Amino acid sequence: MLQEIATRVEEIRKKWEEDGRRVSSLKELEEVRIRYLGRKGLVTALFAALRELPPAERAEAGRLLNALREEIQGEIERLRTELQAAAEAERLRREAYDFTLPGVWRGVGKLHPLTQVRLEIERIFMEMGFDVASGPEVETDYYNFEALNIPEDHPARDEWDSFYIGEGLLLRTHTSPVQIRVMKSRKPPVRIICPGRCYRRDTPDATHFPVFHQVELLWVERGLTMAHLKWIIEEFVRQFFGPGYEMRFSADFFPFTEPSAQVHIRRRGGPWLEIMGAGMVDPAVFEEVGYDPEEVTGFAFGLGIERMAMLKYGIDDIRLFFQNDVRFLGQF
Ligand code: PHE
């Protein structure tokens, strides 16, 4: 009967209003759609009942049913659009990048400026035909002093306030003991450099530190003169610093060289900085290692690596090299 159909349509509409309101996801919406409009849905079942009505009532009942179905269908479409938009917004929110956040910085390591300078010095001298030698940092009194013509009571020892660490042992005060070690183990000609760490009981200031680095150079052969020494140093300074630097030789004294010199460098217009002691190997040293001073001559120098780096990079305090502050170290 038409009346029954109309009542049923109202019931379903009420129920739908509640069910429709409760839907909160696309999945729930699909479940509700099937419950109302699916093949066995509530609305679909009513359409089946139409056939049992008298023909005169069918048109009116059909109109009521169609209206209900369209209403529900329209509402479902509206909800679907809404829920899809919400899901999309949620997805974008979840996948969004915040481009204003700082990135994850992976620092790139670098060699310490003193290592860079040492490698550059080694490169220059290796290209000139020098070998790289080495010796111990804990040295005996004999190699550090005695064999270098600095006997026990020699006043020159005062120049090297040293770290003694027991019977006849000390932290080497310079790389010159390597000269002795090399000459005792090889026959001339000898052409070596020896970079290494040295220690002196110095009070730290802008140009002194108790730990520092030197490069020793030794060239022994027939017929070498002070002119060769000077050329080697000039050529080295030219290659290492390039233009814009000045060099100064002056007389000095070392027990193991005769004559002896010191070399100062400055950036044109800047202050002079002593970078090395140098000289012709003293005959007493040759005799000590078993070389004949009538046969060979030679020269040596000891170069301060920190001071080379300070001049090259314009660093005015040697202590910066040893503070391990990456803000400083990273600049080179
Ligand atoms: N060993 C000297 C020093 O440390 C430098 C030097 C080396 C001088 C070689 C002459 C020859 O001061």
Side-chain angles (χ1 to χ4, degrees):
M1 262 183 34
L2 178 59
Q3 190 50 50
E4 277 168 35
I5 297 270
T7 310
R8 189 78 187 109
V9 163
E10 270 323 298
E11 278 171 18
I12 292 176
R13 176 173 282 124
K14 277 226 176 63
K15 202 164 139 52
W16 158 255
E17 273 166 13
E18 269 173 44
D19 284 354
R21 216 178 297 125
R22 250 186 254 119
V23 167
S24 64
S25 70
L26 286 164
K27 185 166 166 285
E28 283 171 25
L29 182 66
E30 180 59 8
E31 284 163 10
V32 166
R33 189 193 65 78
I34 288 168
R35 199 172 332 130
Y36 285 83
L37 304 179
R39 256 189 329 116
K40 296 175 182 163
L42 295 168
V43 179
T44 319
L46 271 192
F47 272 104
L50 270 189
R51 261 175 276 131
E52 275 134 50
L53 286 187
E57 295 181 343
R58 261 183 225 166
E60 177 61 7
R63 209 183 46 75
L64 288 176
L65 276 181
N66 276 329
L68 177 65
R69 187 173 61 187
E70 267 157 41
E71 190 185 321
I72 293 177
Q73 230 155 24
E75 189 73 354
I76 285 175
E77 285 317 311
R78 195 185 59 74
L79 282 171
R80 176 172 290 130
T81 314
E82 224 171 62
L83 289 167
Q84 274 172 348
E88 180 67 3
E90 168 64 12
R91 187 184 68 81
L92 287 176
R93 198 190 55 72
R94 234 184 313 113
E95 292 180 1
Y97 292 102
D98 182 349
F99 293 104
T100 67
L101 285 176
V104 180
W105 184 74
R106 288 170 217 282
V108 178
K110 274 191 159 191
L111 292 177
H112 191 285
L114 292 180
T115 307
Q116 293 183 37
V117 167
R118 191 200 79 214
L119 292 173
E120 172 69 359
I121 294 171
E122 287 179 10
R123 185 192 64 74
I124 292 171
F125 284 114
M126 285 194 295
E127 279 180 16
M128 292 185 188
F130 288 82
D131 289 344
V132 178
S134 68
E137 289 175 30
V138 176
E139 201 36 291
T140 63
D141 187 274
Y142 172 76
Y143 284 110
N144 196 83
F145 292 127
E146 200 83 37
L148 288 163
N149 202 28
I150 314 174
E152 182 86 60
D153 52 1
H154 196 286
R157 288 210 184 192
D158 294 348
E159 229 187 283
W160 289 285
D161 272 336
S162 316
F163 291 108
Y164 286 92
I165 54 172
E167 258 327 277
L169 287 179
L170 72 160
L171 300 180
R172 68 179 175 195
T173 59
H174 50 181
T175 42
S176 296
V178 182
Q179 288 187 35
I180 305 298
R181 292 179 175 275
V182 168
M183 285 192 281
K184 282 198 164 208
S185 64
R186 301 188 197 178
K187 292 267 149 272
V190 165
R191 245 186 239 173
I192 57 111
I193 59 165
C194 167
R197 198 170 288 147
C198 308
Y199 305 83
R200 284 183 201 174
R201 215 179 54 95
D202 274 334
T203 306
D205 63 22
T207 50
H208 295 84
F209 203 74
V211 181
F212 63 102
H213 299 78
Q214 286 189 333
V215 177
E216 192 81 8
L217 175 142
L218 174 68
W219 184 352
V220 180
E221 206 165 324
R222 232 177 243 277
L224 288 177
T225 70
M226 196 96 181
H228 297 104
L229 167 61
K230 195 157 183 243
W231 181 85
I232 286 275
I233 295 173
E234 270 171 4
E235 177 59 18
F236 164 65
V237 164
R238 192 186 62 75
Q239 284 196 38
F240 184 84
F241 289 113
Y245 286 82
E246 292 173 316
M247 184 170 71
R248 183 177 83 183
F249 270 71
S250 44
D252 202 345
F253 172 79
F254 298 100
F256 39 95
T257 47
E258 181 60 34
S260 303
Q262 52 181 291
V263 178
H264 287 77
I265 301 278
R266 69 173 176 190
R267 258 196 173 139
R268 198 157 285 138
W272 290 107
L273 194 58
E274 187 197 343
I275 57 155
M276 69 167 79
M280 302 304 292
V281 178
D282 195 292
V285 172
F286 281 146
E287 268 154 24
E288 182 65 34
V289 300
Y291 285 10
D292 181 355
E294 300 300 321
E295 276 282 307
V296 291
T297 52
F299 56 77
F301 67 60
L303 171 72
I305 297 185
E306 281 79 3
R307 291 181 173 191
M308 294 293 283
M310 290 168 77
L311 280 163
K312 182 152 189 159
Y313 298 124
I315 297 164
D316 57 10
D317 196 322
I318 195 173
R319 290 167 290 199
L320 289 165
F321 291 119
F322 306 103
Q323 287 164 353
N324 284 337
D325 185 337
V326 289
R327 291 170 303 179
F328 168 74
L329 298 175
Q331 295 173 47
F332 307 99

